[in-house]
Amino acid sequence: MPLLKEIKNASLLTLLRLTFKNSTLRKQLVKIADKKLYNAIVENNNGKFLKAVQEDKYYIVSNLMFSVHRAINRGIFSQDIVNHLTDIFVGKLFLPQDNQRPRDAFKQKYGEEPPAFITLSPTGECNLKCVGCYAASDNYKKIHLPFSICDRIITDMKKEWGDYFVVISGGEPLMYHSEGKGIIDLFEKHNDVFFLMFTNGTLITEDVAKRLSEAGNVTPTISVEGMEEETDKRRGKGVFKRILKAMENLRKYQVPMGLSMTATRENYEKLLADETIDFFIDQGIIHFWIFQYMPIGRSYTLELLVTPEQRKRMFIRERKLLREKKIFIADFWNSGPMSDGCIAGGRQGGYLYIDWNGNVYPCVFIPYYNDNIIDVYKSGGKLTDILFSPIFKSVRKWQKEYGWHRPPQQTGNLILPCFIRDHFDNAYKQFINAKVKPGDENAKEALSDRSYIEGMKKYDIELEETINPIWEKEYKQKG
């Protein structure tokens, strides 16, 4: 077994590359890589972070590796996808080395590191009209960010920040068209970038699946509300069956796919039930994303928010799935420890959001902004300039005060990481101080809606009382 002995001494990056590409030794390689991951993330922590926080990070990365391993064994991935996952997702995202030069130059100039990725919504148009859509998208909103601007944003992101990961949202990205091009043309042009595309799935025909497979650098993430009854109730009759057909097309062309689920106080238990998770794993899903309903966008309401007690139950259930089912599942609120808290505002390891109008927001769920990227470019500015707008600086300042890179025992509760959702009183004051512009009429109305403002404040007080004991017992007391 000289080869295995040599492999055990290999770097983690080399191991992960071999794990994805070597079918003969993959099972043994996964075990060796998993042990090295644990050592790198948990054992070699040197007291910089709480141990339970590091354990959460280990599980999410390890589970992604195991999910990819299972998918390759089932023949769900094409070889092009495996190669891109290895060279881009592993080499440039998890273990960035090739992209370190621009990041070092950025830090030397600005005193902090750049964000890790961007979320881009190139169109506000959508063929569905879902109840409570955070983006208030519909088929009348035929607004598309010019292809040349999208192209420039991604080019600048690579050059200025050394980033090679982009999340595509919407609207429905597959309805995007500008300057004679569509969203897949963007994937094809930037074949050194890995894209995660949130989509309602209804437009993923065989032809679309084939092009995505040939591009080899994108994972569609399809939105559902649970099973057929819950999904069709919010998204429209017959949508669930169209989603299953889309998944069939993606499996046929070996395109890796994920699932996006919006949790409300009405459906949260069904979303996280074994039968739901197992059903979609059977369909070929390798990564699950939980979005707790946010009271922004079309017909925003506090009545759909998961209650504090429900959120506590979700946290316990998600942690169980992560540890026992070995699946990649991330909740953008409850999984705060995995990302060291809020990732908005373009912080190191975080991101920013650009919509179809070119407006630049700290987060998809913060519908307030200072700058527009089209105007910045027209005035001779660059992508990096938007990181230093009043609202972006305000968010990052709050993150540092709350716990970003503070001593472990002084870190704020990372299960309550969200700038706008979990700390609304502070966020509201920052919006006023930063003289933000609302992204749409719904956001404008929310700024002066007293029942909404007071309701959010009351919700956060109850949330803190419910969740703080978990943080104290499961994280801080364990050191």
Side-chain angles (χ1 to χ4, degrees):
M1 290 292 206
L3 180 57
L4 274 178
K5 185 176 180 181
E6 185 179 331
I7 285 169
K8 287 180 181 178
N9 296 322
S11 71
L12 186 51
L13 176 58
T14 300
L15 258 179
L16 288 170
R17 282 178 169 153
L18 284 171
T19 298
F20 289 157
K21 290 185 176 181
N22 191 312
S23 58
T24 306
L25 295 174
R26 186 173 296 123
K27 189 173 182 180
Q28 295 98 312
L29 288 170
V30 166
K31 289 181 180 178
I32 296 169
D34 191 50
K35 186 174 181 180
K36 281 185 176 282
L37 275 174
Y38 186 84
N39 288 337
I41 297 172
V42 181
E43 294 297 333
N44 298 335
N45 175 32
N46 296 323
K48 291 181 180 178
F49 301 94
L50 295 170
K51 184 174 182 180
V53 166
Q54 294 306 101
E55 287 175 345
D56 284 354
K57 294 174 188 174
Y58 156 73
Y59 277 110
I60 198 72
V61 177
S62 173
N63 288 6
L64 180 60
M65 180 179 68
F66 276 101
S67 296
V68 171
H69 169 59
R70 288 192 294 264
I72 293 173
N73 286 345
R74 285 182 61 187
I76 292 174
F77 283 7
S78 69
Q79 191 57 48
D80 281 345
I81 289 289
V82 174
N83 291 340
H84 274 83
L85 272 171
T86 305
D87 296 332
I88 300 175
F89 208 72
V90 175
K92 290 182 176 177
L93 301 181
F94 281 132
L95 299 165
Q97 293 175 353
D98 299 339
N99 60 340
Q100 197 57 45
R101 185 176 296 174
R103 303 186 75 80
D104 289 343
F106 185 100
K107 185 174 183 178
Q108 186 174 1
K109 183 173 182 179
Y110 298 104
E112 56 187 283
E113 291 197 19
F117 67 100
I118 63 170
T119 294
L120 182 64
S121 287
T123 180
E125 189 173 3
C126 186
N127 59 323
L128 302 182
K129 194 169 183 177
C130 304
V131 176
C133 172
Y134 81 91
S137 301
D138 58 41
N139 57 4
Y140 299 107
K141 194 175 284 186
K142 300 183 185 298
I143 308 170
H144 307 275
L145 193 64
F147 186 89
S148 54
I149 295 293
C150 294
D151 178 30
R152 182 174 175 182
I153 289 168
I154 295 173
T155 300
D156 289 351
M157 176 195 76
K158 291 186 284 187
K159 182 180 178 181
E160 296 175 28
W161 304 344
D163 291 348
Y164 291 84
F165 180 50
V166 174
V167 175
I168 299 292
S169 190
E172 170 50 50
L174 290 170
M175 294 190 78
Y176 175 69
H177 54 86
S178 168
E179 301 170 359
K181 299 183 184 297
I183 195 64
I184 302 178
D185 293 301
L186 194 66
F187 303 154
E188 292 170 343
K189 179 162 188 182
H190 292 278
N191 61 5
D192 57 343
V193 172
F194 200 86
F195 294 87
L196 187 153
M197 176 180 71
F198 288 106
T199 170
N200 62 45
T202 61
L203 302 179
I204 301 178
T205 61
E206 280 204 43
D207 287 343
V208 168
K210 185 172 184 291
R211 281 195 70 190
L212 292 173
S213 179
E214 290 168 349
N217 63 337
V218 57
T219 175
T221 302
I222 300 174
S223 300
V224 299
E225 312 305 320
M227 299 300 285
E228 184 169 18
E229 180 183 350
E230 297 84 13
T231 299
D232 284 3
K233 180 180 179 182
R234 186 181 184 212
R235 296 183 171 269
K237 188 172 176 58
V239 167
F240 191 77
K241 285 186 170 63
R242 293 166 70 186
I243 286 172
L244 294 187
K245 179 60 180 173
M247 291 179 176
E248 180 185 325
N249 294 335
L250 292 169
R251 287 195 304 274
K252 178 178 179 179
Y253 289 97
Q254 300 177 294
V255 180
M257 53 182 159
L259 206 70
S260 167
M261 304 189 286
T262 302
T264 70
R265 66 181 58 180
E266 297 171 355
N267 74 345
Y268 80 100
E269 285 184 302
K270 188 67 176 286
L271 279 186
L272 297 172
D274 278 333
E275 54 266 31
T276 303
I277 300 294
D278 290 343
F279 175 84
F280 286 112
I281 289 175
D282 252 5
Q283 295 297 311
I285 295 300
I286 63 166
H287 48 94
F288 294 81
W289 302 91
I290 307 295
F291 292 89
Q292 296 179 28
Y293 170 79
M294 281 288 288
I296 62 172
R298 181 186 300 126
S299 305
Y300 63 84
T301 174
L302 301 184
E303 297 305 311
L304 285 176
L305 271 172
V306 292
T307 67
E309 182 59 34
Q310 288 172 339
R311 181 158 162 183
K312 175 183 174 180
R313 291 177 203 162
M314 285 180 65
F315 174 83
I316 294 168
R317 173 62 178 157
E318 288 159 0
R319 220 168 179 225
K320 184 180 175 69
L321 286 170
L322 201 66
R323 283 158 170 71
E324 297 180 8
K325 220 173 184 70
K326 292 297 289 183
I327 60 171
F328 180 100
I329 183 166
D331 178 324
F332 278 82
W333 289 267
N334 285 347
S335 298
M338 297 174 195
S339 59
D340 297 318
C342 172
I343 61 173
R347 60 151 247 212
Q348 175 188 340
Y351 84 115
L352 55 83
Y353 170 54
I354 304 174
D355 77 0
W356 46 85
N357 293 304
N359 298 331
V360 188
Y361 307 85
C363 172
V364 171
F365 298 108
I366 298 177
Y368 305 102
Y369 70 99
N370 290 132
D371 293 326
N372 180 285
I373 191 62
I374 299 174
D375 294 337
V376 169
Y377 282 153
K378 282 181 179 177
S379 65
K382 56 185 180 179
L383 183 65
T384 296
D385 295 341
I386 61 182
L387 294 174
F388 300 98
S389 67
I391 187 59
F392 272 68
K393 289 195 293 184
S394 176
V395 170
R396 293 201 300 274
K397 181 175 182 292
W398 173 81
Q399 288 166 342
K400 289 173 183 176
E401 291 171 351
Y402 189 68
W404 173 243
H405 278 190
R406 292 183 68 181
Q409 290 296 330
Q410 295 177 26
T411 300
N413 185 344
L414 298 182
I415 315 173
L416 300 177
C418 185
F419 177 77
I420 185 171
R421 166 83 171 273
D422 302 335
H423 305 274
F424 184 84
D425 190 26
N426 171 75
Y428 180 75
K429 293 172 184 174
Q430 301 303 326
F431 296 151
I432 302 304
N433 292 336
K435 298 180 181 178
V436 295
K437 305 168 192 173
D440 56 27
E441 285 302 312
N442 298 293
K444 181 179 180 181
E445 181 183 340
L447 277 180
S448 58
D449 184 341
R450 295 313 305 176
S451 63
Y452 169 76
I453 293 167
E454 295 307 318
M456 288 295 291
K457 291 179 182 178
K458 181 174 182 291
Y459 177 84
D460 286 349
I461 291 171
E462 295 174 1
L463 193 61
E464 190 173 337
E465 292 172 351
T466 305
I467 303 297
N468 269 357
I470 297 178
W471 175 250
E472 291 294 327
K473 180 180 178 181
E474 297 296 328
Y475 290 85
K476 294 187 76 171
Q477 287 180 18
K478 291 184 178 180

